[in-house]
Amino acid sequence: EVQLVESRGGLVQAGGSLRLSCAASGFTSEYYNIAWFRRAPGKEREGVACISSEGNTYYADSVKGRFTISADNAKNTVYLQMNSLNPEDTAIYYCAASGGLPTYFPARLREWVYDYWGQGTQVTVSS
């Protein structure tokens, strides 16, 4: 059974940093791709960042330059380092996994690409 477990989020002041982790287990193949999504209050869930099994990354414009996605393959864990946080980053953050990715990079942040989802973790940024 595939499982994705996000680390606990938290409360951080604007301008601060936070790192989320996503521990993956149960994959029958070592080739899987991970993305982070978020759902802000009153908004649709949106893709934030993704990393392919080859290590290729892609970011939403809203977080580019502030967030970094990385993977520790030995630990089957993907991280999302979030810097320069602002109140608009307040959301429930989810990690998601897929066995394949579209070649068109922007499509890699679409929900339909991903088959497995974590339970979500709350990140709150205070002003």
Side-chain angles (χ1 to χ4, degrees):
E1 178 186 1
V2 173
Q3 285 193 323
L4 300 172
V5 180
E6 296 104 339
S7 59
R8 181 176 295 183
L11 173 65
V12 63
Q13 289 188 330
S17 299
L18 192 65
R19 188 178 80 160
L20 302 178
S21 65
C22 173
S25 63
F27 287 96
T28 57
S29 169
E30 63 184 90
Y31 300 106
Y32 57 90
N33 313 280
I34 300 288
W36 285 95
F37 287 76
R38 67 184 182 186
R39 176 178 284 145
K43 295 186 177 181
E44 299 289 321
R45 188 158 57 183
E46 63 172 352
V48 172
C50 63
I51 186 166
S52 72
S53 58
E54 296 87 5
N56 296 314
T57 59
Y58 184 76
Y59 298 89
D61 288 343
S62 59
V63 305
K64 201 172 294 182
R66 301 188 299 123
F67 291 12
T68 302
I69 189 170
S70 62
D72 184 335
N73 293 328
K75 296 182 178 179
N76 292 327
T77 300
V78 170
Y79 302 96
L80 184 68
Q81 177 67 44
M82 305 183 291
N83 299 328
S84 301
L85 286 162
N86 58 64
E88 289 70 39
D89 296 314
T90 294
I92 300 173
Y93 284 72
Y94 303 86
C95 67
S98 169
L101 286 177
T103 54
Y104 180 57
F105 273 72
R108 297 184 175 190
L109 294 182
R110 297 289 187 255
E111 290 187 58
W112 56 264
V113 173
Y114 298 89
D115 305 303
Y116 307 100
W117 293 82
Q119 78 284 0
T121 187
Q122 177 70 48
V123 172
T124 303
V125 184
S126 63
S127 58

